[in-house]
Amino acid sequence: MTQSRGKVYLIGAGPGDPGLITVKAKECIQAADVVVYDYLASPFLLNYAGKDAEIIYVGKKGGDHTLTQDKINLLLVDKAREGKNVARLKGGDPFVFGRGGEEAQELLSYGIRYEVIPGVTSAVAAPAYAGIPVTHRDHTSFVSFITGHERPDKKESRMQWDIFAKSDATLVFLMGVKNLSNIVTKLMEHGKPSDTPVALVRWGTTTRQQTVTGTLTTIVDAVKKAELKSPAIIVVGHVVSLRDELAWFDQTPLFGKKIVITRARAQASGLVAELNRLGAQCIEIPTIKIVPPENKKALEAAIDHLDLYDWLVLTSVNGVKFFFDTLFKKGKDVRALGHLKFACIGPVTKERLADYGIISDILPETYQAESVVDAFSSLDMTGKKILLPRAKKARSILPEQLTLMGAMVDEVTAYETRLADEGKDLLVDMLKAGDIDAVTFTSSSTVTNFLTLLEGQNAPALLEGVLLASIGPITSDTIRAKGLKPDIEADAFTIDGLIEALLKHYENALSGVLKK
Ligand code: SAH
């Protein structure tokens, strides 16, 4: 129940890596009626919002505001007055150059209650992910956070350049990229040695992180050459030299690799999270949508007559989900399945089944229909009735082989897969710009649908130099049938196997470069 008057939570959303959110912030997003966010807050965090929460985007990069600060303030006030609890996500920490203080004052002036949830500031976290500790006993005794972009209407500058220049402090400038040449000039004019190390860290803590280093004399050219833009942190001081030794994030095995994920969004999160953890940047272009079947009658009829069956064979997590959804909708529960034996095609399907409290009787050695058939071959299946709820238009080998063993198989459609094409333009643009390193294919339909998205384009030319990663031999055959070549194939036909194959590929490529 919402209170008669709402409350605004000014939340530090952290610097970018969604893992750097605090527990309190996450709980607050989960409970909010309205979530207000801007471009520095990781959109991933919106996944924590409740399904009925209103999500409002209020800001773009430097100057190009979708809503002005005044309008943002009024929005917060209005929503709170409607009695809603508002989670206002702000990049990094709300009170470090985030205008969080101003928002709090504004709320106060309208009598709106608020709380502040501090966050991990980019001023510390971006350097940390670049291997730069902002303090270190051998190098500096203090650290300053400085705006690189004073309010344009300020009459007199508050910048104490002589103090910045004379101290051994680590200077961390935020919002300073456009002003970089002015900053370095001022520091040198006030006596800072021209060989003082400087680093810029863009999109720190995210998989897009980019770092450029130099000295006060060289950094402007280096940044120009690297075409590094905002948002970035500028670090000036001797601690920057520690990066040579301490850079760790850049050395994660897939750092900087841009990898396209083609599986359905609802199923992609595990793969995306693991690839992100390894440093890769995932571009989600779902090629498949999973929807309930148009005709549910067969599945419903089977569920009405579960007592007729001996076995339930599940070939995917979607099959598990849609089977149980329908079971529960019919007012039944797992007790209706007590007499059945179960077979699953792979470990993930088996785990999902276990979530419902059921242990699979059969788990094949490898995760393909052929292996399920092998697993059944030691059993006497004569006269056994098997229920096989799965995708419309699935491969026919499983029912055919089970029938040959004397079983009676009822194949019912539990869900349908459709082409998803929302990501088409992004995909084509990125491929044309040479901005993609690899594409992952987790089933034959991801291959077929992916190539449908490229219809009208010269697909082989666009995919030149792009690593095509396949989850297993059947998916690889589909890639070949389309006139392309799978560059790598997972050993285990699983997502973990696919990640393993990507890692192996890039590690080999790296050691090849190092040997040269
Ligand atoms: N409250 C934020 C800072 C907001 S001011 C915080 O505590 O981090 C906006 C500036 O923050 C940007 O211009 C940039 O200098 C810095 N910034 C924010 N996120 C960043 C990131 N992931 N990498 C590098 N700089 C970042």
Side-chain angles (χ1 to χ4, degrees):
M1 258 250 311
T2 47
Q3 292 162 288
S4 59
R5 288 194 89 189
K7 195 168 188 178
V8 176
Y9 295 84
L10 299 172
I11 301 178
D17 178 344
L20 295 177
I21 189 85
T22 63
V23 174
K24 191 164 181 183
K26 182 179 163 195
E27 286 170 357
C28 192
I29 301 169
Q30 285 167 334
D33 302 307
V34 182
V35 180
V36 178
Y37 76 109
D38 56 35
Y39 94 113
L40 282 175
S42 166
F44 180 86
L45 300 175
L46 301 176
N47 291 333
Y48 295 133
K51 68 179 184 338
D52 296 324
E54 185 183 359
I55 312 271
I56 306 175
Y57 178 69
V58 292
K60 280 199 185 153
K61 345 175 194 195
D64 180 15
H65 292 289
T66 304
L67 277 191
T68 59
Q69 187 65 43
D70 287 346
K71 288 208 173 118
I72 296 174
N73 293 343
L74 281 181
L75 176 77
L76 300 178
V77 169
D78 283 349
K79 293 292 173 191
R81 281 193 168 156
E82 285 170 27
K84 300 199 166 134
N85 283 326
V86 183
R88 164 67 169 128
L89 297 183
K90 300 183 70 75
D93 179 275
F95 276 9
V96 177
F97 295 121
R99 303 180 77 167
E102 292 165 52
E103 281 177 23
Q105 286 172 315
E106 193 71 14
L107 293 168
L108 196 63
S109 76
Y110 284 93
I112 305 285
R113 296 178 306 147
Y114 68 89
E115 278 186 32
V116 181
I117 303 179
V120 175
T121 177
S122 63
V124 172
Y129 269 53
I132 303 169
V134 289
T135 72
H136 188 293
R137 284 192 302 171
D138 296 343
H139 296 273
T140 178
S141 50
F142 72 105
V143 52
S144 298
F145 301 141
I146 308 165
T147 172
H149 166 83
E150 269 198 337
R151 241 158 82 163
D153 56 5
K154 236 205 203 121
K155 291 221 178 64
E156 271 179 40
S157 172
R158 277 203 209 145
M159 302 293 269
Q160 298 182 305
W161 293 108
D162 50 340
I163 296 181
F164 302 153
K166 292 199 179 90
S167 73
D168 74 346
T170 302
L171 307 176
V172 179
F173 291 89
L174 291 89
M175 305 174 284
V177 180
K178 279 202 187 126
N179 216 1
L180 178 66
S181 94
N182 183 34
I183 292 169
V184 298
T185 310
K186 280 275 193 310
L187 288 173
M188 287 192 287
E189 272 173 17
H190 287 82
K192 194 121 194 127
S194 58
D195 61 354
T196 308
V198 184
L200 272 84
V201 187
R202 182 179 197 220
W203 285 123
T205 79
T206 77
T207 53
R208 298 154 76 186
Q209 177 171 310
Q210 183 190 1
T211 307
V212 174
T213 52
T215 63
L216 283 175
T217 339
T218 63
I219 194 72
V220 172
D221 281 345
V223 163
K224 229 178 251 160
K225 199 161 150 227
E227 294 179 22
L228 185 142
K229 300 201 175 68
S230 184
I233 292 290
I234 304 171
V235 192
V236 180
H238 286 286
V239 288
V240 169
S241 59
L242 291 165
R243 170 173 159 78
D244 292 342
E245 197 187 331
L246 300 183
W248 59 272
F249 186 50
D250 310 49
Q251 273 147 33
T252 47
L254 300 181
F255 182 78
K257 297 283 179 268
K258 292 185 184 156
I259 302 181
V260 171
I261 311 295
T262 55
R263 53 181 353 204
R265 198 178 287 282
Q267 286 181 300
S269 59
L271 176 60
V272 170
E274 186 57 17
L275 290 176
N276 282 344
R277 205 184 58 74
L278 295 165
Q281 182 181 336
C282 292
I283 298 122
E284 285 190 61
I285 314 268
T287 56
I288 293 180
K289 276 189 239 186
I290 293 156
V291 293
E294 221 157 80
N295 183 347
K296 300 192 183 92
K297 290 218 174 72
L299 178 61
E300 287 177 350
I303 286 178
D304 284 337
H305 298 103
L306 283 168
D307 51 325
L308 299 180
Y309 295 99
D310 303 297
W311 281 87
L312 183 54
V313 178
L314 294 158
T315 60
S316 75
V317 292
N318 294 313
V320 176
K321 176 185 170 343
F322 285 98
F323 176 81
F324 281 97
D325 282 355
T326 316
L327 182 79
F328 297 150
K329 256 187 218 139
K330 293 227 144 235
K332 299 192 177 193
D333 63 28
V334 286
R335 287 172 297 179
L337 310 173
H339 64 289
L340 291 170
K341 284 194 167 291
F342 282 79
C344 285
I345 204 166
V348 185
T349 312
K350 180 184 161 208
E351 268 169 37
R352 194 54 55 85
L353 183 64
D355 290 342
Y356 292 94
I358 295 168
I359 301 170
S360 181
D361 298 279
I362 288 189
L363 182 68
E365 300 217 330
T366 61
Y367 311 126
Q368 283 180 299
E370 285 78 352
S371 303
V372 186
V373 172
D374 286 347
F376 273 108
S377 59
S378 59
L379 303 172
D380 180 10
M381 296 305 289
T382 322
K384 296 280 190 275
K385 276 214 87 175
I386 300 181
L387 177 60
L388 179 61
R390 56 180 192 159
K392 198 175 174 178
K393 293 193 272 182
R395 296 171 65 219
S396 56
I397 167 161
L398 196 53
E400 277 169 15
Q401 292 297 317
L402 290 169
T403 308
L404 282 179
M405 289 177 198
M408 289 173 282
V409 182
D410 270 354
E411 195 186 346
V412 297
T413 302
Y415 60 96
E416 291 178 21
T417 58
R418 301 250 171 87
L419 174 74
D421 59 4
E422 292 81 1
K424 179 177 170 175
D425 293 344
L426 175 67
L427 174 69
V428 172
D429 288 351
M430 289 191 81
L431 283 172
K432 281 189 177 157
D435 233 2
I436 286 175
D437 295 293
V439 182
T440 54
F441 295 107
T442 43
S443 66
S444 288
S445 28
T446 61
V447 178
T448 314
N449 289 6
F450 178 83
L451 288 165
T452 306
L453 299 187
L454 296 185
E455 259 167 22
Q457 308 285 337
N458 182 348
L462 276 184
L463 294 170
E464 182 82 47
V466 175
L467 185 88
L468 303 184
S470 151
I471 198 164
I474 294 170
T475 305
S476 299
D477 282 347
T478 312
I479 297 176
R480 278 185 214 101
K482 302 277 177 192
L484 296 165
K485 193 176 103 358
D487 298 289
I488 55 174
E489 183 182 288
D491 279 342
F493 317 154
T494 60
I495 293 295
D496 286 348
L498 184 63
I499 293 168
E500 196 58 40
L502 279 163
L503 267 176
K504 221 192 264 167
H505 172 85
Y506 283 115
E507 270 161 11
N508 286 344
L510 194 65
S511 62
V513 172
L514 294 179
K515 269 184 214 140
K516 267 186 205 158

